[in-house]
């Protein structure tokens, strides 16, 4: 009974850390998809001729998404490391 209680307490203690890892994973997936979508739009050479303002907006959006992706990956690495250490 004590072992089950201890295991349950450990799971409750780790739940917020596991949540941080899962949140970062979802954010990484969303940002990766967003960057791919923007890249496909930027691949249209006609965009730069017909709508240079949109091309500039997309380039800025891609840079912002890439920065957010970098931050999300850092958060994931940090949260994963803390989770793995705490789970031992």
């Amino acid at each position: 009974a004590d072992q089950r209680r201890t295991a349950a307490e450990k799971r409750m203690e780790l739940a917020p850390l596991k949540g941080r890892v899962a949140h970062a994973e979802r954010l990484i997936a969303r940002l990766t998809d967003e960057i791919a979508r923007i890249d496909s739009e930027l691949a249209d050479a006609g965009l730069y001729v017909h709508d240079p303002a949109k091309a500039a907006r997309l380039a800025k959006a891609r840079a912002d998404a890439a920065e957010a992706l970098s931050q999300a990956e850092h958060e994931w690495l940090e949260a994963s490391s803390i989770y793995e250490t705490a789970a031992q």
Side-chain angles (χ1 to χ4, degrees):
D2 283 343
Q3 283 182 331
R4 284 196 316 227
R5 183 175 36 246
T6 302
E9 289 170 355
K10 184 77 164 182
R11 282 191 306 274
M12 287 178 55
E13 178 183 311
L14 293 174
L17 292 172
K18 192 173 185 179
R20 278 181 61 194
V21 170
H23 172 74
E25 288 171 347
R26 287 189 304 272
L27 185 56
I28 288 167
R30 184 180 63 77
L31 290 166
T32 300
D33 288 347
E34 182 178 338
I35 289 169
R37 180 191 57 78
I38 293 169
D39 283 348
S40 74
E41 288 190 64
L42 289 172
D44 176 10
L47 174 67
Y48 301 91
V49 173
H50 300 299
D51 197 348
K54 181 178 180 182
R57 283 193 309 274
L58 286 170
K60 169 88 170 82
R62 192 201 188 286
D64 292 346
E67 174 62 28
L69 177 60
S70 177
Q71 291 174 358
E73 289 170 338
H74 176 76
E75 170 65 19
W76 179 84
L77 285 172
E78 183 178 291
S80 294
S81 176
I82 293 168
Y83 177 79
E84 288 175 15
T85 300
Q88 293 178 357

